[in-house]
Amino acid sequence: MTSKGLADAFRAHTLNLHHKIVDFNALNSIPESHAWKPQGFDHYPTRGGDPEAVPIIDLTEENAPELIGHACKKWGVFQVINHNISKSLLDDVEMEGKRLFSLPMDQKLKAARLPNGVSGYGVVRISRFFPKCMWSEGFTIADSMVEHASQLWPNNYQKFCDTIEECKKEMNNLAHRLMWLMLGSLGITQKDIEWAGPNGKVEGGDDALQMNSYPACPDPDRVMGLAAHTDSTILSIIHQSNTSGLQLIREGGSVWITVPPHPGALVIHVGDLMHILSNGLYPSVLHRAIVNRTQHRLSVAYFFGPPVSVKVSPIKKLVDECHPQLYRPITWSEYLGIKSELFDKGLPSLRLCSSQSRFTDVNGDDY
Ligand SMILES: C=C1C[C@]23C[C@H]1CC[C@H]2[C@@]12CCC[C@@](C)(C(=O)O1)[C@H]2[C@@H]3C(=O)O
Ligand SMILES: O=C(O)CCC(=O)C(=O)O
Ligand SMILES: [Fe+2]
């Protein structure tokens, strides 16, 4: 796994972020820069009112492959349990995240993400598409993190690096396993994907880990933790702390559904590249994070993709006269560039056949 690829992919896409990171600890009211128009979050149904809940799949169950295929088609998201990533590792990562975000602001800024970089401390990349700032801070790890970690903790960064390294390794293994389960449900095997090496390992595959911190907010209805987006990945693995906040909308749906934290479960998102690979059979899930009134929330997201320079296209087996190829081939690097420019119009811009908008927003408007 070389993540230099991702860093290179971003170097050409300097971000002009007008969003300044604020010190949430120093705030006692919501600044104008962070005040979104009231979102009406309170009116969204919570778990009890949901028409259905996001499937929770036990990976040790015999029928896990079918359940995964079904969840990918119908939801673009599911939770997994018995995934083999230990609770103690996830607890450690969460603790390291808390340790990082509770550092003084001037210390965190020493590890600030550069405008043309992928790694480091800062606001999420998609911030520039929104007029208001989000109620969150993030730390992204794609290439070596030693440089940034040693700026954060000059004498004491080994534990952080070891924990993150271990987490990335474990999540990479799980991501491989899940990718083949997802594709297996469509009748796709390793032979069908040119960039898959022997044993199904994606040699030179790229990945990134993102820690998101959502401070508690006295008026959560007026702020946005992380605005709605789909992930530009094959798949993403999310560990959320025991405070809820992750919400998603089903394709064609109009209700935001909360993904309740389930002890030990990891949330799996179908990403845009899996949507392309599956020739549109698996929707990439539109999701966002809202903020809690009293509790700080932390999430750790692992982004899994192919080597940045290989062309990804709808798998040939899934294309025939009745199912025309829906997307043109593209590398991950090109796609991240397109997303940086076009955001939610990025995926539709690759469509070969005209179609209706994939999503309808809560007001029933297409976008
Ligand atoms: C591998 C990835 C995936 C990235 C870009 C790069 C590193 C950081 C990821 C995120 C993390 C936060 C949401 C998102 C939308 C963002 O702004 O930065 C993600 C984005 C994407 O999925 O597009
Ligand atoms: O905080 C969450 O639960 C979601 C994070 C997320 O969507 C992301 O980092 O891309
Ligand atoms: Fe996401």
Side-chain angles (χ1 to χ4, degrees), residues 159-306:
K159 173 80 171 50
F160 178 86
C161 294
D162 291 348
T163 306
I164 300 295
E165 211 48 72
E166 177 71 11
C167 179
K168 272 181 93 176
K169 194 181 94 208
E170 293 288 320
M171 292 219 171
N172 183 267
N173 286 337
L174 178 60
H176 273 94
R177 199 171 147 206
L178 290 167
M179 178 178 87
W180 291 118
L181 282 166
M182 289 173 172
L183 292 173
S185 295
L186 297 174
I188 304 305
T189 64
Q190 291 158 21
K191 289 195 297 291
D192 298 311
I193 298 201
E194 311 83 58
W195 40 269
N199 314 322
K201 180 99 178 78
V202 181
E203 300 297 345
D206 276 293
D207 59 3
L209 197 88
Q210 162 102 4
M211 293 181 165
N212 299 299
S213 166
Y214 307 92
C217 175
D219 194 356
D221 204 35
R222 287 181 59 222
V223 300
M224 179 64 83
L226 178 49
H229 64 278
T230 59
D231 294 340
S232 321
T233 55
I234 290 181
L235 63 91
S236 317
I237 304 177
I238 290 95
H239 164 71
Q240 48 176 344
S241 64
N242 60 8
T243 303
S244 70
L246 177 60
Q247 295 189 322
L248 57 93
I249 203 161
R250 287 175 80 166
E251 193 174 14
S254 57
V255 184
W256 284 96
I257 297 171
T258 299
V259 187
H262 181 95
L266 293 166
V267 183
I268 313 301
H269 291 164
V270 169
D272 295 339
L273 295 187
M274 178 60 91
H275 176 75
I276 295 174
L277 283 169
S278 69
N279 200 29
L281 287 173
Y282 291 165
S284 48
V285 66
L286 185 70
H287 57 282
R288 69 180 182 188
I290 65 171
V291 169
N292 192 275
R293 194 179 295 276
T294 53
Q295 273 171 305
H296 173 244
R297 174 170 183 270
L298 193 105
S299 71
V300 179
Y302 175 77
F303 299 104
F304 180 68

Side-chain angles (χ1 to χ4, degrees), residues 124-181:
V124 287
R125 290 183 67 84
I126 56 170
S127 298
R128 64 179 277 245
F129 296 103
F130 300 89
K132 296 289 181 173
C133 301
M134 300 183 205
W135 198 263
S136 58
E137 37 184 345
F139 189 79
T140 319
I141 301 141
D143 36 16
S144 159
M145 80 206 97
V146 174
E147 196 188 319
H148 282 131
S150 63
Q151 287 153 335
L152 294 170
W153 300 284
N155 308 311
N156 174 23
Y157 55 87
Q158 203 54 47
K159 173 80 171 50
F160 178 86
C161 294
D162 291 348
T163 306
I164 300 295
E165 211 48 72
E166 177 71 11
C167 179
K168 272 181 93 176
K169 194 181 94 208
E170 293 288 320
M171 292 219 171
N172 183 267
N173 286 337
L174 178 60
H176 273 94
R177 199 171 147 206
L178 290 167
M179 178 178 87
W180 291 118
L181 282 166

Side-chain angles (χ1 to χ4, degrees), residues 42-94:
D42 291 347
H43 310 302
Y44 288 114
T46 51
R47 191 184 185 181
D50 285 346
E52 279 179 89
V54 174
I56 299 181
I57 300 172
D58 181 341
L59 286 185
T60 58
E61 289 279 338
E62 223 173 288
N63 60 347
E66 293 83 65
L67 295 176
I68 287 177
H70 188 259
C72 287
K73 274 199 190 116
K74 300 286 175 216
W75 286 85
V77 62
F78 53 97
Q79 303 212 57
V80 287
I81 53 173
N82 288 326
H83 41 65
N84 254 346
I85 300 189
S86 75
K87 178 172 177 335
S88 71
L89 177 59
L90 295 173
D91 287 347
D92 282 355
V93 180
E94 201 176 310

